[in-house]
Amino acid sequence: MRRLSPDDAELWRRVARDIAPLPGRPQTQDRGRPARNAPETGAVQTGNLAGVQPKRPQPPPPPPPLDQFAGVDRATAERLRRGRRAIEARLDLHGMTQVEAHRALAGFVSGSRAAGRRCVLVITGHGRSSGGILKGAVPRWLHEPDLRRDVLAIASARPQHGGSGALYLLLRKPL
């Protein structure tokens, strides 16, 4: 592996300066480079780096709004929103990784629709500190084409069913 030129090393330090480690991961030093949040030493070199600004990571897109009732009459939407439909199945995603949860959600939704279930509950949890990774990811996943074709309506659950840490899904009738 080739060594970085002084210009490339300086560019790397400038880019890495704004990067924070993932939560729960320790800061490490990699091959003599300073730890990511370590204070910089030495003067900034000029040259071909003049005017280069480090790119800031873009925040993830906001999840799609809940309470979407396209193609559902007002009475059905109101019953779903108020938790007045019988919940025919539940999926609890607590403790799963995003990959496991996405796979479980896809299987649960398609399996529930194939079994003729209409109203199901998906429990994401509230999340510990960051508002919940799955709580934000599940609504986005439900709007992906593979899952969207099975889901007719989505609503936040009532407190007795998990509140903002759970979703009611009204599934389309089986084919």
Side-chain angles (χ1 to χ4, degrees), residues 30-140:
D30 185 27
R31 296 190 183 133
R33 294 183 190 113
R36 288 182 174 165
N37 290 337
E40 282 190 48
T41 57
V44 175
Q45 295 176 351
T46 56
N48 66 359
L49 295 179
V52 175
Q53 294 293 322
K55 290 186 178 181
R56 304 242 182 233
Q58 295 295 322
L66 296 177
D67 299 336
Q68 295 190 2
F69 303 103
V72 177
D73 63 88
R74 176 177 272 173
T76 301
E78 205 53 38
R79 278 195 305 274
L80 183 67
R81 187 180 298 124
R82 292 183 184 199
R84 301 246 169 110
R85 289 199 58 117
I87 297 171
E88 300 171 59
R90 286 175 170 77
L91 173 64
D92 190 344
L93 301 174
H94 281 102
M96 293 186 189
T97 66
Q98 287 189 59
V99 172
E100 293 168 339
H102 191 272
R103 196 173 296 137
L105 180 65
F108 175 73
V109 168
S110 64
S112 292
R113 182 177 180 204
R117 297 183 190 111
R118 293 298 310 277
C119 183
V120 298
L121 181 69
V122 176
I123 303 165
T124 62
H126 295 283
R128 290 186 182 153
S129 60
S130 63
I133 300 296
L134 296 180
K135 182 179 175 182
V138 167
R140 283 194 312 273

Side-chain angles (χ1 to χ4, degrees), residues 4-14 45-50:
L4 294 176
S5 70
D7 287 341
D8 288 341
E10 179 57 25
L11 179 60
W12 174 252
R13 278 191 291 277
R14 290 178 70 185
Q45 295 176 351
T46 56
N48 66 359
L49 295 179

